[in-house]
Amino acid sequence: MKQMDTRNLSMVMDLYEMTMANGYFHTADIYDPVTFDVFYRKNPDGGGFAIFAGLEQVLDYLEGLHFGPEDIDYLRSLRLYDEKFLEWLAHFRFTGTVTAMPEGTIVYPNEPLVTINAPLIEAQLVETAILAQINHQSLIATKARRIVQAAKGRAVSDFGARRAHNMDAAVYGARAAYIGGVNSTATVLAGQLFGIPVSGTMAHSWVMYFDDEYTAFKHFAEIYPDQAVLLVDTYNVLTSGVPNAIRVAKEVLEPMGKRLAGIRLDSGDLAYLSKEARRMLDDAGLTDCRIVVSNSLDEYTIRSLLDQGGCIDSFGVGERLITAKSDPVFGGVYKLTAVHHGQACRPKIKLSESFEKITNPGRKKIWRIYDAIGHARADLLTNPDEKPDVRTEYVFVDPEKPWKRSHFSHCTAKELHQTYIQQGKRVQTLPALSDIRAYVQDQLRHEIWPEEQRFENPHHHYLDMSPAYYEMKMNLLRQTRGQGSL
Ligand SMILES: Nc1ncnc2c1ncn2[C@@H]1O[C@H](COP(=O)(O)OP(=O)(O)OP(=O)(O)O)[C@@H](O)[C@H]1O
Ligand SMILES: O=P(O)(O)OC[C@H]1O[C@H](OP(=O)(O)OP(=O)(O)O)[C@H](O)[C@@H]1O
Ligand SMILES: O=C(O)c1cccnc1
């Protein structure tokens, strides 16, 4: 199977990762494992959740991680690192353990999406590449879901490649958009690599090349009698484009026993034009001819077009999807949460002026708590050795209101992390992309409250803590206060 990345991505890192690695090599016990969590702090666009994506590429990267002779030569040329370290680096492989939420999981701020447990240097060196991949794909998957939701069951196609922030963003963006629910992509490589259905219409250049619009449509329909979607806005939609499309349907396709598949509108008032075009097509008996619209669409324009009664069967969405234009930073971070010495595990916490930025320390488990009808009621952090029994009365702590005594009962708890890499070896086969997409839809349909899915002031999903975990965090906070002062 063709691969996107035959590149060695091991050097995709910020310089400080390597600088710290060289420093650790000389000052620390580099074989002692440490734990880092990947998490994010705020849902994009003020939404109620995000979609976790990019895991497969993270795992591929970790498996392939190595530094070749050219990498070592380049690092040597920086005159920052000593020869012993560079020699050690030449034999470097990732030997750690990776647990994560399955790709496509609906996720919330401050919970661990991925946990890396690995020898110090290994865990440090992989920060940038892991974050780049997860931040990008989770952002686009989440944006795609909003657009798909606004389209209310109508097909959405990713048209974004040409406006993406270069080619990786186009191809992995298409993958993420498909996870988020778009039906197809115009990006051919994404179709080839990931098996995403591809779709497309025609460009204005096709219409402009021929002497007149009718001739352009006629040639296209003759070559693609089953799939022709004619772009009707090059000259004038209602006086030229739609009439010429109807003429082609009658004069070219009908004699072949074929029907015109569709027209595309790409400028002007898309609600008005789609309604007028629909009326004209219906009057000509072309009731099955679909209307596709495009032109700087996003979830808000799509919602507005449908509110205006636009007669639209599908949407092509490019720049605002592939760049997540309205809120283009996912903000995922990678934080040290524990340092291990032999059997002892020392949890680590990062303090901050703002309460939300104080990290959740230590090794932990993340559970999703479902009520009796299967809705996800909250998520719960516990210590790794806890197994919450939420069938009977289980008292937990809401860290935002720790004085409240709340409990779960008649609930079930599902641990959200699975182990994907154990001591450097892949221990889990990954689902097909279509299954990841179906998993997203299944959660949104059956588990996630509709109140969390609305765009305006969505319901806040709680991240609660077991009493033991909360106490550990508070103790650590008390101990750590003052440690940073000189
Ligand atoms: N009826 C509508 N309601 C809300 N937004 C719309 C409507 N029709 C089009 N839009 C959106 O308005 C934005 C700009 O459209 P506008 O008509 O100003 O430019 P345009 O059609 O791209 O012009 P050009 O002819 O230069 O292509 C686009 O994002 C488009 O999706
Ligand atoms: O607006 P977006 O959401 O990004 O959707 C993609 C856009 O790309 C194409 O335009 P472009 O002007 O690049 O080419 P064209 O001549 O085929 O219209 C297409 O017609 C859309 O307008
Ligand atoms: O197929 C299309 O209509 C298409 C594809 C990419 C960008 N704009 C339009």
Side-chain angles (χ1 to χ4, degrees):
M1 196 175 120
K2 186 163 168 162
Q3 299 231 313
M4 172 74 172
D5 275 319
T6 45
R7 299 169 295 185
N8 177 4
L9 297 173
S10 306
M11 296 281 274
V12 177
M13 66 172 69
D14 296 297
L15 182 69
Y16 77 172
E17 318 289 8
M18 191 56 85
T19 306
M20 285 187 278
N22 179 61
Y24 289 144
F25 187 78
H26 293 289
T27 56
D29 192 343
I30 58 167
Y31 296 104
D32 270 352
V34 296
T35 304
F36 279 83
D37 282 342
V38 175
F39 62 94
Y40 73 105
R41 294 197 171 102
K42 192 175 81 40
N43 291 317
D45 288 304
F49 63 89
I51 297 170
F52 171 54
L55 179 64
E56 183 170 336
Q57 282 66 41
V58 165
L59 300 175
D60 288 347
Y61 154 81
L62 289 173
E63 272 193 327
L65 198 60
H66 69 279
F67 297 93
E70 286 176 1
D71 303 328
I72 303 286
D73 284 350
Y74 173 73
L75 292 169
R76 183 177 290 115
S77 78
L78 297 178
R79 298 179 178 280
L80 284 169
Y81 312 125
D82 89 354
E83 218 33 61
K84 257 200 184 141
F85 171 68
L86 292 174
E87 238 170 67
W88 180 88
L89 210 57
H91 304 285
F92 176 96
R93 283 290 188 185
F94 182 76
T95 64
T97 292
V98 180
T99 69
M101 311 234 187
E103 208 171 350
T105 301
I106 302 302
V107 293
Y108 302 97
N110 299 315
E111 51 191 34
L113 310 180
V114 180
T115 297
I116 305 284
N117 194 40
L120 178 58
I121 294 184
E122 298 178 24
Q124 186 69 65
L125 282 179
V126 298
E127 170 177 13
T128 313
I130 290 178
L131 287 181
Q133 196 62 257
I134 288 173
N135 276 326
H136 174 238
Q137 290 204 44
S138 301
L139 179 73
I140 304 303
T142 306
K143 180 69 173 176
R145 164 64 202 174
R146 294 172 65 81
I147 290 168
V148 166
Q149 184 171 323
K152 293 192 168 149
R154 292 161 187 80
V156 175
S157 183
D158 155 39
F159 279 5
R162 65 190 58 200
R163 308 256 149 67
H165 297 147
N166 220 322
M167 294 181 216
D168 276 22
V171 175
Y172 290 124
R175 178 182 188 275
Y178 188 63
I179 289 175
V182 308
N183 302 77
S184 60
T185 182
T187 304
V188 176
L189 181 56
Q192 185 187 18
L193 288 173
F194 307 126
I196 303 171
V198 287
S199 66
T201 70
M202 62 164 63
H204 291 103
S205 52
W206 177 275
V207 183
M208 290 153 71
Y209 170 76
F210 294 94
D211 287 343
D212 60 82
E213 193 178 45
Y214 175 76
T215 309
F217 288 176
K218 179 173 179 292
H219 284 306
F220 202 78
E222 282 167 348
I223 300 166
Y224 303 107
D226 292 310
Q227 293 106 348
V229 176
L230 306 173
L231 178 58
V232 294
D233 73 339
T234 307
Y235 304 113
N236 183 295
V237 172
L238 299 180
T239 61
S240 165
V242 177
N244 276 327
I246 292 172
R247 208 181 132 200
V248 164
K250 300 279 170 203
E251 293 176 7
V252 180
L253 290 171
E254 263 181 33
M256 297 164 80
K258 303 287 181 185
R259 309 282 299 169
L260 178 60
I263 61 165
R264 176 161 74 97
L265 301 168
D266 187 50
S267 57
D269 185 322
L270 298 172
Y272 169 74
L273 291 173
S274 67
K275 284 187 266 190
E276 289 301 302
R278 180 77 275 155
R279 192 180 49 72
M280 292 163 75
L281 292 168
D282 288 353
D283 287 350
L286 301 176
T287 51
D288 54 342
C289 175
R290 291 177 300 116
I291 300 182
V292 183
V293 303
S294 53
N295 187 17
S296 303
L297 297 174
D298 62 13
E299 65 270 43
Y300 300 108
T301 45
I302 288 175
R303 185 167 67 177
S304 169
L305 292 174
L306 296 180
D307 284 348
Q308 295 167 60
C311 295
I312 299 165
D313 298 288
S314 68
F315 299 92
V317 186
E319 60 195 29
R320 295 190 190 183
L321 163 64
I322 212 70
T323 64
K325 184 166 187 254
S326 49
D327 196 358
V329 181
F330 192 70
V333 295
Y334 185 78
K335 296 290 172 200
L336 181 72
T337 60
V339 173
H340 308 261
H341 293 293
Q343 293 303 308
C345 166
R346 289 201 347 242
K348 295 281 174 178
I349 194 163
K350 181 179 174 298
L351 299 183
S352 169
E353 291 302 315
S354 63
F355 182 72
E356 320 79 74
K357 284 204 166 180
I358 296 175
T359 56
N360 287 320
R363 304 210 55 185
K364 55 183 87 63
K365 280 190 175 163
I366 172 88
W367 306 80
R368 186 147 293 166
I369 310 297
Y370 298 91
D371 65 16
I373 52 166
H375 277 130
R377 183 169 151 189
D379 288 356
L380 179 75
L381 287 177
T382 68
N383 287 323
D385 54 354
E386 291 185 89
K387 189 170 188 314
D389 181 358
V390 291
R391 287 168 305 174
T392 50
E393 200 170 296
Y394 176 87
V395 175
F396 62 83
V397 180
D398 171 355
E400 287 170 30
K401 296 180 189 124
W403 56 88
K404 265 177 62 179
R405 215 187 127 82
S406 314
H407 68 271
F408 300 125
S409 58
H410 305 293
C411 289
T412 49
K414 182 171 88 179
E415 197 191 332
L416 289 180
H417 271 218
Q418 297 185 9
T419 304
Y420 287 92
I421 293 182
Q422 186 118 44
Q423 292 173 334
K425 299 266 175 305
R426 191 82 71 101
V427 291
Q428 176 123 219
T429 49
L430 296 178
L433 195 64
S434 53
D435 291 336
I436 298 175
R437 182 174 179 273
Y439 172 52
V440 171
Q441 287 177 349
D442 191 58
Q443 292 166 87
L444 292 170
R445 205 166 288 147
H446 302 296
E447 296 181 6
I448 307 301
W449 286 96
E451 288 76 4
E452 281 181 15
Q453 300 186 43
R454 66 176 177 241
F455 293 166
E456 281 82 21
N457 303 316
H459 177 79
H460 168 75
H461 187 91
Y462 291 100
L463 177 59
D464 297 316
M465 293 177 185
S466 71
Y469 182 81
Y470 182 72
E471 196 186 322
M472 183 274 290
K473 179 171 176 175
M474 287 303 121
N475 284 339
L476 195 62
L477 258 177
R478 279 189 282 274
Q479 285 164 24
T480 312
R481 241 189 260 137
Q483 273 186 9
S485 56
L486 290 172

